[in-house]
Amino acid sequence: MKISKFFYGFLITALLFASCNKDEELDSIQPESLESTQNVSSKLKPIGSGVMMQAFYWDVPAGGTWWNTIRNKVDDWSNAGIDAIWLPPVSKAQNGPFSMGYDPFDYYDFGEYNQMGSTETRFGSRSELESLISRAHRYDLNVIADIVINHNSGGDLEWNEFAGKNTYTKFTPLSGKFNRTKYDFHPNEQYNSDSGIFGGFPDLSHSKPYVQDWLWKRSNSVAKYYKNTMGFDGWRFDYVKGFEPWVPREWQRNVGGFAVGEYWDGNVNTLNWWVNQAQMSAFDFGCYYKMRDAFMGNNLNALSGDMLWKRNASRAVTFVANHDTDEIINNKLLAYAYILTHEGYPAIFYRDYEEWLSKSKMNNLIWIHNNLAGGSTTNLWTDNDEYIAKRNGGYGKNGLIVYINNSNSWKERWVETNWSSRRIKDYTGNSGWEPVTQGGRWVKIQAPPKGYTVWSLK
């Protein structure tokens, strides 16, 4: 998570220009009836059966067009094997039409109230968001909300005797829901602090019953409103280092759904502690940093290091890049070949898929993940330039062998498979070999320079 500043001198002109462009774009979009967002979960793909799409990047185009941009892609994504889309924070934030949503002000303003400098959010209007969620559901996709509950922004000044100064802790949003004062932030009359603050923003006090009521307990709490009225199916919790793991655990206990936390830490012991305490998934920063070392450092031995998916695969969401960090520049497709053939629930980044990498190769890897990558993982070979691992199969999948070659020349190696006297092929198309495994299950496979192959039964 990060916060950018968008105080431009030409704000009014930009808003008017964006509004005109948006009106023209909307004219070309046919209206569609919004199906009920209730009782759709049984029709959706099970989360984890496919791949998650992070459906945004930092500083996506302003002007209120982003929800329609994503709406027009969900059918193709579903056909490619995506099972869930993760949206940026959907409610009105302090920077209004320029905000990426991580400075939340009114949790119930989805682009319908004229406050914080605009009616719509950076991404669009409430009706456009509802249309996007409805269309995603029709294509069997889950929709994951980005939940920012560590801090708030945009409040008015009030005298705060607990802080000994004036603080921006008076929130009176136009939605009329979840008004907040100095008693709802740290420090207050009962609690001085929690796990951490972010950027000096007012820090919500989750131990206060009033805050708990509005976040997850009330019938119209943020959690229940997002699920039951807006139709969200899962949650991505931002900056969970800022509060104790019981907070997202209680949220999920009240509303259910898939949940993953952003615990930004490469220490796998800490990540594993957090997922067990929170009883939900976490982004596998351990895996991310080991891949960075392997592919940017040109030393695949780093892949032998500790990762969350190796400890607790059912709780690991693996990724190569996201809106906050994108350090794996070289050999990025090799990194995707790694997470899309290994255990854990892989998430792919919008710009990698839509702009920067080969979409056909990404779709091929998604297909391999969804159709072949089953069972436990066995490492077969690792050195500076080569990495070979075996998925042992299960849950209706034959398993696979992935061969990643980070050198500048073709490589070949004998490996032991799980298949005796069976013909195999490379499902990436990078090799034309179709060898038959020996009676003892050994076979020679190959991989191209700076490339990869994925082998399974023909």
Side-chain angles (χ1 to χ4, degrees), residues 144-145 147 149 216 234-240 243-263 270-284 308 312-317 345:
I144 297 173
I147 303 300
I149 55 173
W216 62 76
W235 324 102
R236 179 267 184 187
F237 290 95
D238 179 68
Y239 191 61
V240 296
F243 41 84
E244 289 75 18
W246 65 262
V247 173
R249 185 178 69 230
E250 283 300 301
W251 174 296
Q252 191 186 28
R253 189 179 69 82
N254 276 266
V255 296
F258 170 82
V260 57
E262 181 210 31
Y263 198 99
T270 303
L271 289 172
N272 200 37
W273 164 83
W274 190 87
V275 299
N276 289 327
Q277 291 294 312
Q279 297 177 18
M280 62 182 59
S281 297
F283 289 100
D284 193 347
L308 181 60
N312 199 341
S314 66
R315 296 295 197 188
V317 176
Y345 178 37

Side-chain angles (χ1 to χ4, degrees), residues 340-342 367-375 391 394 397 399-400:
L340 288 164
T341 55
H342 283 65
W367 184 93
I368 286 170
H369 172 270
N370 294 352
N371 292 276
L372 301 177
R391 293 295 297 278
K397 298 179 182 180
L400 57 80

Side-chain angles (χ1 to χ4, degrees), residues 4 47 135 167 209 213 215-216 295 318 433:
S4 289
I47 291 185
R135 186 176 181 89
T167 55
D213 285 346
L215 286 182
W216 62 76
F295 297 113
T318 54
W433 285 9

Side-chain angles (χ1 to χ4, degrees), residues 75-382:
D75 50 345
D76 288 338
W77 289 351
S78 180
N79 291 334
I82 302 300
D83 63 20
I85 58 172
W86 158 24
L87 300 184
V90 296
S91 63
K92 187 69 62 64
Q94 180 183 12
N95 281 322
F98 296 117
S99 177
M100 286 298 296
Y102 291 96
D103 49 341
F105 172 74
D106 187 344
Y107 287 103
Y108 296 85
D109 181 359
F110 306 98
E112 57 196 300
Y113 299 101
N114 187 1
Q115 55 185 343
M116 296 295 128
S118 68
T119 298
E120 294 190 346
T121 68
R122 181 189 190 100
F123 313 112
S125 67
R126 173 173 179 151
S127 63
E128 290 163 348
L129 173 61
E130 290 173 328
S131 179
L132 163 58
I133 295 172
S134 176
R135 186 176 181 89
H137 285 164
R138 278 202 300 281
Y139 284 94
D140 305 324
L141 293 178
N142 298 271
V143 184
I144 297 173
D146 202 320
I147 303 300
V148 186
I149 55 173
N150 174 73
H151 54 273
N152 290 166
S153 188
D156 294 324
L157 276 174
E158 62 178 347
W159 170 249
N160 188 335
E161 60 270 31
F162 312 115
K165 61 181 180 180
N166 288 323
T167 55
Y168 290 94
T169 49
K170 187 176 182 180
F171 289 77
T172 53
L174 286 181
S175 68
K177 299 180 178 66
F178 197 13
N179 293 344
R180 285 144 279 163
T181 67
K182 58 192 173 184
Y183 296 100
D184 305 311
F185 299 92
H186 295 122
N188 56 56
E189 81 285 7
Q190 288 183 276
Y191 307 101
N192 186 59
S193 64
D194 58 5
S195 293
I197 62 174
F198 180 84
F201 291 102
D203 187 57
L204 272 175
S205 182
H206 303 92
S207 294
K208 299 296 289 287
Y210 177 82
V211 174
Q212 294 179 19
D213 285 346
W214 273 107
L215 286 182
W216 62 76
K217 287 185 176 180
R218 296 169 58 111
S219 61
N220 65 340
S221 65
V222 176
K224 292 173 183 175
Y225 195 93
Y226 277 45
K227 179 183 180 183
N228 299 327
T229 301
M230 299 304 295
F232 283 101
D233 311 292
W235 324 102
R236 179 267 184 187
F237 290 95
D238 179 68
Y239 191 61
V240 296
K241 280 188 173 183
F243 41 84
E244 289 75 18
W246 65 262
V247 173
R249 185 178 69 230
E250 283 300 301
W251 174 296
Q252 191 186 28
R253 189 179 69 82
N254 276 266
V255 296
F258 170 82
V260 57
E262 181 210 31
Y263 198 99
W264 195 328
D265 200 312
N267 187 315
V268 179
N269 288 325
T270 303
L271 289 172
N272 200 37
W273 164 83
W274 190 87
V275 299
N276 289 327
Q277 291 294 312
Q279 297 177 18
M280 62 182 59
S281 297
F283 289 100
D284 193 347
F285 280 93
C287 177
Y288 172 78
Y289 287 121
K290 292 298 185 294
M291 290 193 300
R292 181 197 64 183
D293 295 344
F295 297 113
M296 294 301 293
N298 292 312
N299 186 358
L300 299 191
N301 286 305
L303 298 177
S304 298
D306 203 5
M307 305 176 188
L308 181 60
W309 74 258
K310 297 181 181 181
R311 301 272 201 98
N312 199 341
S314 66
R315 296 295 197 188
V317 176
T318 54
F319 66 101
V320 175
N322 63 30
H323 63 295
D324 278 335
T325 184
D326 188 9
E327 300 170 277
I328 305 173
I329 306 301
N330 299 333
N331 307 311
K332 183 177 275 191
L333 198 58
L334 303 190
Y336 274 109
Y338 182 85
I339 68 167
L340 288 164
T341 55
H342 283 65
E343 293 172 75
Y345 178 37
I348 62 176
F349 184 45
Y350 178 92
R351 301 199 85 169
D352 287 339
Y353 183 83
E354 289 289 339
E355 300 176 17
W356 292 339
L357 300 178
S358 165
K359 186 177 291 188
S360 63
K361 291 180 179 179
M362 291 289 285
N363 283 341
N364 171 250
L365 286 170
I366 294 169
W367 184 93
I368 286 170
H369 172 270
N370 294 352
N371 292 276
L372 301 177
S376 61
T377 303
T378 303
N379 179 255
L380 300 178
W381 184 270
T382 305

